[in-house]
Amino acid sequence: DVLMTQTPVSLPVSLGGQVSISCRSSQSLVHSDGNTYLHWYLQKPGQSPQLLIYRVSNRFSGVPDRFSGSGSGTDFTLKISRVEPEDLGVYYCLQSTHFPYTFGAGTKLELK
Amino acid sequence: EVQLAESGGGLVQPGRSLKLSCAASGFTFSDYYMAWVRQAPTKGLEWVASISYDGGSTYYRDSVKGRFTISRDNAKSSLYLQMDSLRSEDTATYYCTTWGSHWFAYWGQGTLVTVSS
């Protein structure tokens, strides 16, 4: 299985600040069709996960432009600028290039 | 508005069976692959199984292969997960999700399955 390693595990932030979350895969996530299937989710406390970014850098419907994704191959980053209270929770990366699909262990964004 | 509502969770003894259901609304159900993703208490997310538009193709993680069966009824806009020979490690909240274009876009609120004697 593809191992997805997220860092850091915990990320203290001040409201209005900017943070970055790293996600590294144990093998390349470039699919045979040429696409890279790396996605980002946020799970707020007591809620189900919600899709933020799909295919590395595409914001899902309704996601503010404070969220941006980048990366290639095995190394990916989610950046959040101007952090707001509703951004707090656990962030997960997901790879869906290789079966079985695998998630990172999560990064908890919390107030400093 | 896309809505997914899971049901059927509960407390079950090891070795017994349980069937989860997911009622979908707000979109054309038959246009989407569907999937189940689970989350053990205080743990991360784990893909469990997926199914194609018409149910003709199914996919499972190794740990549930042969014990779990994913199915769908497009006429009822419903997704199912039949879970047999349940183990303690299957204890989790099970989420129903849409699986379109290689990612899980919409999620239900989840249903908790607890496997314990």
Side-chain angles (χ1 to χ4, degrees), chain A:
Chain A
D1 298 1
V2 176
L3 179 63
M4 304 297 289
T5 302
Q6 277 185 244
T7 54
V9 172
S10 177
L11 187 51
V13 65
S14 300
L15 295 179
Q18 177 175 300
V19 296
S20 292
I21 300 171
S22 171
C23 179
R24 291 195 167 124
S25 57
S26 60
Q27 56 184 277
S28 173
L29 298 186
V30 179
H31 195 273
S32 56
D33 65 8
N35 289 307
T36 299
Y37 295 110
L38 184 286
H39 325 290
W40 290 95
Y41 294 82
L42 165 60
Q43 187 172 30
K44 298 179 183 181
Q47 295 187 19
S48 54
Q50 57 188 83
L51 178 63
L52 297 174
I53 301 284
Y54 62 93
R55 269 196 293 120
V56 181
S57 59
N58 299 277
R59 278 186 299 276
F60 189 54
S61 175
V63 175
D65 60 7
R66 302 182 289 101
F67 292 89
S68 63
S70 63
S72 63
T74 62
D75 199 350
F76 304 91
T77 301
L78 175 70
K79 288 186 180 177
I80 313 167
S81 59
R82 306 182 304 280
V83 171
E84 299 187 3
E86 58 263 33
D87 300 339
L88 302 180
V90 181
Y91 288 80
Y92 295 96
C93 58
L94 162 71
Q95 71 79 21
S96 56
T97 295
H98 307 283
F99 268 112
Y101 295 168
T102 46
F103 291 85
T107 295
K108 187 173 184 178
L109 187 67
E110 51 195 1
L111 282 179
K112 195 175 287 184

Side-chain angles (χ1 to χ4, degrees), chain B residues 17-83:
Chain B
S17 299
L18 204 61
K19 186 173 185 177
L20 306 183
S21 299
C22 171
S25 61
F27 65 105
T28 304
F29 184 71
S30 57
D31 283 352
Y32 282 80
Y33 276 52
M34 297 294 294
W36 290 96
V37 174
R38 68 185 178 184
Q39 184 171 35
T42 70
K43 299 295 185 183
L45 300 163
E46 183 175 79
W47 167 77
V48 176
S50 297
I51 188 167
S52 61
Y53 309 113
D54 62 357
S57 297
T58 55
Y59 312 83
Y60 300 92
R61 68 180 304 105
D62 284 349
S63 61
V64 307
K65 210 172 288 185
R67 298 188 301 121
F68 289 12
T69 304
I70 188 172
S71 62
R72 64 190 297 161
D73 184 337
N74 286 344
K76 294 183 177 180
S77 294
S78 292
L79 177 72
Y80 307 101
L81 185 67
Q82 175 68 44
M83 303 185 294

